[in-house]
Amino acid sequence: MKQYIIKGGKPLRGSVTIGGAKNSALGILVASVMTNEPVIVENLPDIGDVQVLLNAIREIGAIVEQIDEHTVRINASLVGDVCMDYDFIRKIRGSYYFIGAMLGKRRKATVALPGGCQIGTRPIDQHIKGFEALGAKISIEHGNVEAVTDKLVGSHIYLDCISVGATINIMMAACMAEGKTIIENPAKEPHIVDVANFLNSMGADIKGAGTDTIRIRGVESLHGTTYSIIPDQIEAGTYMMAAAATGGDVLIQNVIPKHLDVISAKLIEIGVTVEEYPDAVRVIANKKLRHTNVKTFPYPGFPTDMQPQFAALLSLSEGTSMVTETVFEDRLKYTSELCRMGAKIKVEGTTAFITGVDGLESAAVCAPDLRAGAALVIAALAADGYTTIDQIEYIERGYEGVCEKIRNLGGVMEKIDIDDNSDIQRFKLRASNQ
Ligand code: EPZ
């Protein structure tokens, strides 16, 4: 079984290049099946979730050619009716985007209901509300959502809660509905805008993505396109936190600084220096960090997907910080793993009270989910000694080449096979003189 082994205590220095946004890629890849013409998607991150979704797209009959590690060509002209069973949705939650895409293209889709996960129940009632408003008949039987309609008609939809998934799913169906659709209270994340821009590059007519109101005028059909995905805001933020936690000096390249505004602001608040360039940010941490308080909110608020990483950093900040999770109801469980590394964190409801410590301790820990796993990598890089992290497949679902990127920044980190004890010894031997 594979795990990461990290010898912490070294400041990260140098530059790292950020890949394409995972949460754009999942929506864009599914939307690419809405046309019968070839679609080329560039700047795809080479991560687990993308590979799983590409296989799902192949399994429904599309031709997927991997042009290079970050570019695919998709031809969905042979895709018939879609029935994604629970096995698909368990592997990749984003499969539920096929409901919106196939309702738009074929007026019919059957997709297994996604379950909850480590961070909450994650219902899809708002997705269903939107599809029904557009005229689809939805039936939920034996754990499957079946959506069917003779035609989709534009509607005025008010989302009861801000939902990235519901916004993307409804946008895809609405762009092929007759007439006009207005989506009120949509999510405004950078990846919402990216998916809308992708659909528009296929001939859709979507205005206002990224604002409080999205206006869509339905079209008859969508055509092929070539599209490049935006840089990943969360991957960039994660490396910013790693630079700060190790007292490093890192240039994070290929980013859109505007998307990182709130992350930069919180880092500056605790005493980190952040320099902005046209497509890069530089993070310099050369003094003891101060405490602060943070609440997660939908964009442009502090991203829930950055909450665990920031908590790991605040574990090393002087004083007591409060981290409040408002988006998911159960996204603080990972703090127990940080406590095993010497962090002083007390969780009450949806708030973590973090008392900064002088240093974290290496330990054997286990990644409970993607972003909590990233937080453990950050903690391990800051802690003296050897830390091992299990269940790294969670981390590799969303971060491309993390070992290599960390090593290129001077970090001491490898992926080893724990069933091969010599792997561990060889790593420790190499690491002993670094
Ligand atoms: C997307 O999940 C992201 N995943 C998540 O990133 C991210 O944390 C989340 O948006 C919030 O930004 C992808 O894009 C693949 P939501 P999604 O619908 O769409 C409630 C990561 O680490 N809700 O915005 O599932 C829901 O329970 C992952 O990359 C309803 O109640 O999130 C949650 O409390 C983790 N009913 C809140 O809204 C609905 O119909 C936000 O969920 C839909 C959502």
Side-chain angles (χ1 to χ4, degrees), residues 28 34 55 114 130 178 194 231 254 256 280 304 356 408 416:
I28 285 170
M34 294 178 74
N55 288 334
E178 269 180 32
D194 210 18
N254 188 36
I256 299 173
T304 175
N408 290 343
I416 58 170

Side-chain angles (χ1 to χ4, degrees), residues 93 96-97 122-127 129 157-170 183-192 210-214 296-304 325-329:
R93 236 188 109 72
Y96 62 29
Y97 286 144
R122 303 180 78 176
I124 62 165
D125 55 299
Q126 298 300 301
H127 302 234
K129 173 179 181 175
I157 301 163
Y158 193 99
L159 292 178
D160 300 320
C161 69
I162 293 180
S163 162
V164 166
T167 304
I168 290 175
N169 232 342
I170 296 165
I183 306 175
E184 306 272 12
N185 195 32
K188 299 183 277 193
E189 273 71 5
H191 32 285
I192 299 288
T211 74
D212 291 321
T213 305
I214 297 177
T296 63
F297 277 112
Y299 193 82
F302 190 87
T304 175
E325 172 58 53
T326 72
V327 175
F328 289 105
E329 71 269 25

Side-chain angles (χ1 to χ4, degrees), residues 314-389:
L314 292 173
S315 301
L316 292 160
S317 297
E318 260 171 348
T320 298
S321 301
M322 281 199 313
V323 174
T324 302
E325 172 58 53
T326 72
V327 175
F328 289 105
E329 71 269 25
D330 202 8
R331 198 171 197 171
L332 292 168
K333 280 191 293 206
Y334 68 90
T335 51
S336 54
E337 289 298 290
L338 284 179
C339 290
R340 298 185 61 245
M341 297 179 73
K344 291 202 176 349
I345 303 175
K346 193 169 177 316
V347 173
E348 286 182 16
T350 57
T351 297
F353 297 86
I354 304 173
T355 305
V357 293
D358 290 338
L360 292 171
E361 301 146 14
S362 57
V365 292
C366 185
D369 63 70
L370 166 57
R371 305 302 177 187
L376 294 174
V377 170
I378 289 170
L381 289 166
D384 286 331
Y386 293 94
T387 294
T388 56
I389 302 175

